[in-house]
């Protein structure tokens, strides 16, 4: 046991490691097993590969140590993708006749989940993330779903305030923590019952796997979410789980560079006349900054902004050399996309969601400014 709480970097490199065993590796390799030897009674931790797997066990311990350090009651359940984790909470908690409050500016698959909830007889109310507008919709709700910062608009809500109000009315609170990640924000400490995330993004950071997780406040909530995974079978492959665990060792290093790059980029963009609607919670001028600075420990890798129109945005993306035109975010290689191409978000045609990678700051900022100059000259 350590005498003083470890810092983020120390916890990241050691997260979820088993006690050292002579002649064994530090992080045991992935366990590929559909079934485990099970003579006689059904007992022991590992029976069938849809229920449990030793590689998940280690990853779950690791994520729990990052999301809820020192919280013995909290439990983590890993999933095949972020959406598997999102739906595990919503569909395992809400029953016909219940009310769920969603953000109306959250991840673009949330409206699909809403349709599914409504098809099962769950009532859904929505409100924007900004200004804590979901507060007004809480009355009698079974579950409040927050996404802060929201994707792609980067609005922030006050989790502690919303969670206090929700708790007073007996409403459970889930926070989609994908954008901030466990080192950027700890929803359970802010009063949430569930912290849910896509591990596909910054958590694993290399753009090469899909993963999701839910961290639950109590053993009872954990059991329900774990049972949901068994029933639906949305389980991560052992290889993905192991790769994710291996990636956690560099989480703090990646995150520090990427967050610094995002802020530097936002500052550079704020001086450009062709850029409007610039958002990044770390910018002191951002409408979300005061709340973000209270509840976030770092501000994430994403910057969003709007260029004059669709063609302008497309020419900008083509002119970039260090930035891939790709969806998703949080990876070590910078990516950006014209978000309107998907059709699911209420954003202007020239809206860009930019995810800062781990390139050298000067190189990344120079590449973006060079691309903007090229487009401005060609116009
Ligand atoms: N939540 C947020 C905020 C996301 O941005 C995403 C994916 O972009 C998801 C959930 C879903 O994650 P996945 O793609 O891993 O299913």
């Amino acid at each position: 046991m350590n005498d003083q709480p470890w810092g983020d970097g120390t916890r990241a490199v050691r997260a979820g490691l088993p006690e050292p065993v002579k002649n064994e590796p530090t992080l045991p390799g992935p366990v590929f097993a559909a079934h485990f030897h099970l003579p006689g009674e059904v007992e022991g931790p590992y029976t069938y590969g849809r229920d449990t797997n030793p590689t998940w066990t280690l990853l779950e311990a690791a994520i729990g140590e990052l999301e809820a350090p020192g919280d013995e009651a909290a439990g983590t359940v890993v999933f095949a993708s972020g959406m598997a984790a999102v739906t595990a909470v919503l569909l395992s908690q809400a029953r016909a006749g219940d009310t769920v409050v969603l953000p109306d500016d959250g991840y673009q698959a949330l409206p699909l989940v809403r349709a599914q909830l409504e098809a099962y007889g769950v009532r859904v109310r929505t409100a924007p993330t900004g200004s804590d507008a979901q507060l007004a919709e809480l009355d009698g709700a079974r579950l409040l779903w927050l996404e802060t910062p929201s994707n792609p608009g980067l609005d922030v809500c006050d989790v502690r305030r919303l969670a206090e109000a929700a708790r007073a009315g007996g409403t459970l609170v889930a926070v989609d923590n994908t954008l901030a990640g466990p080192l950027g924000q700890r929803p359970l400490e802010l009063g949430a019952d569930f912290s849910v995330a896509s591990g596909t993004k910054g958590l694993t950071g290399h753009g090469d796997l899909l993963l999701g997780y839910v961290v639950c406040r109590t053993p009872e909530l954990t059991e329900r979410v774990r049972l949901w995974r068994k029933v639906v079978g949305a389980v991560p492959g052992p290889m993905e789980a192991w790769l994710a665990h291996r990636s956690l060792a560099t989480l703090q290093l990646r995150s520090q560079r990427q967050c610094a790059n995002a802020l530097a980029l936002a500052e550079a963009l704020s001086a450009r006349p062709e850029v409007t609607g610039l958002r990044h919670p770390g910018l002191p001028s951002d409408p979300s900054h005061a709340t973000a600075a209270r509840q976030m420990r770092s501000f994430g890798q994403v910057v969003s902004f709007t260029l004059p129109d669709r063609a302008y945005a497309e020419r900008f993306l083509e002119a970039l050399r260090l930035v891939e035109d790709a969806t998703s975010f949080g990876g070590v290689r910078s990516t950006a996309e014209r978000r309107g191409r998907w059709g699911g978000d209420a954003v202007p045609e020239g809206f860009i969601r930019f995810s800062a990678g781990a390139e050298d700051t000067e190189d990344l900022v120079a590449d973006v400014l060079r691309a903007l100059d090229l487009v401005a000259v060609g116009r």
Side-chain angles (χ1 to χ4, degrees):
M1 285 299 288
N2 51 324
D3 298 333
Q4 61 182 47
W6 284 329
D8 285 351
T10 311
R11 286 185 301 115
V13 296
R14 303 208 57 82
L17 296 183
E19 286 300 318
V21 177
K22 188 170 182 181
N23 303 133
E24 293 291 327
T26 307
L27 176 62
V31 176
F32 297 104
H35 56 260
F36 299 83
H37 290 298
L38 191 61
E41 297 299 312
V42 177
E43 59 190 8
Y46 304 110
T47 54
Y48 185 61
R50 180 163 33 77
D51 302 353
T52 43
N53 176 293
T55 311
W56 308 345
T57 305
L58 295 178
L59 176 62
E60 288 172 344
I63 293 173
E65 286 169 27
L66 298 176
E67 277 270 353
D71 184 344
E72 298 290 330
T76 303
V77 188
V78 288
F79 285 89
S81 69
M83 285 314 293
V86 167
T87 50
V89 172
L90 284 162
L91 299 176
S92 72
Q93 297 303 319
R95 303 270 177 282
D98 285 345
T99 297
V100 166
V101 181
L102 299 178
D104 61 18
D105 51 354
Y107 177 51
Q108 62 172 6
L110 271 188
L112 306 177
V113 181
R114 172 188 189 155
Q116 198 60 62
L117 286 167
E118 287 174 340
Y120 290 147
V122 176
R123 284 189 285 261
V124 177
R125 298 182 203 137
T126 63
T129 298
S131 310
D132 301 342
Q134 287 171 278
L135 262 184
E137 304 298 330
L138 280 185
D139 194 26
R142 161 91 182 137
L143 182 85
L144 168 65
W145 185 269
L146 306 175
E147 187 182 306
T148 179
S150 60
N151 169 24
L154 302 181
D155 265 325
V156 165
C157 60
D158 185 334
V159 177
R160 210 179 277 283
R161 180 178 180 221
L162 282 147
E164 267 169 26
R167 187 161 297 239
T171 304
L172 289 168
V173 180
V175 176
D176 185 327
N177 202 30
T178 302
L179 229 131
L183 298 186
Q185 179 169 269
R186 297 186 197 149
L188 263 54
E189 281 181 12
L190 299 170
D193 299 287
F194 303 97
S195 180
V196 185
S198 166
T200 313
K201 314 287 190 281
L203 186 85
T204 55
H206 293 72
D208 52 10
L209 62 86
L210 283 115
L211 193 94
Y213 68 82
V214 182
V215 185
C216 311
R217 176 184 288 285
T218 65
E220 296 72 35
L221 294 175
T222 308
E223 269 329 294
R224 291 182 70 164
V225 172
R226 206 180 284 284
L227 178 64
W228 179 266
R229 179 178 66 185
K230 175 183 164 119
V231 171
V232 174
V235 296
M239 190 69 201
E240 280 77 3
W242 183 83
L243 279 171
H245 198 160
R246 183 182 190 272
S247 303
L248 291 183
T250 56
L251 180 61
Q252 193 214 31
L253 288 173
R254 289 185 278 112
S255 166
Q256 280 179 343
R257 170 67 71 84
Q258 292 179 242
C259 291
N261 279 356
L263 185 58
L265 194 66
E267 280 163 356
L269 289 170
S270 66
R272 298 292 301 207
E274 69 274 56
V275 168
T276 55
L278 175 65
R279 296 299 304 268
H280 178 66
L283 270 184
S285 57
D286 191 279
S288 292
H289 183 69
T291 308
R294 272 202 311 277
Q295 72 188 13
M296 297 180 75
R297 307 168 76 240
S298 56
F299 299 111
Q301 322 88 342
V302 180
V303 178
S304 58
F305 56 97
T306 302
L307 292 172
D309 55 41
R310 173 179 175 159
Y312 204 107
E314 285 172 349
R315 284 206 298 278
F316 165 69
L317 292 170
E318 275 166 30
L320 291 163
R321 284 195 202 130
L322 290 179
V323 183
E324 290 165 31
D325 185 347
T327 195
S328 202
F329 55 85
V332 287
R333 286 172 282 274
S334 290
T335 55
E337 71 169 334
R338 197 180 66 77
R339 195 61 187 164
R341 66 181 174 173
W342 293 91
D345 301 307
V347 293
E349 285 290 337
F351 182 98
I352 301 283
R353 188 184 68 187
F354 195 108
S355 172
E359 299 84 3
D360 285 323
T361 310
E362 314 78 63
D363 292 341
L364 182 61
V365 172
D367 192 46
V368 169
L369 296 182
R370 187 194 51 78
L372 285 174
D373 286 343
L374 265 180
V375 183
V377 168
R379 195 163 156 86

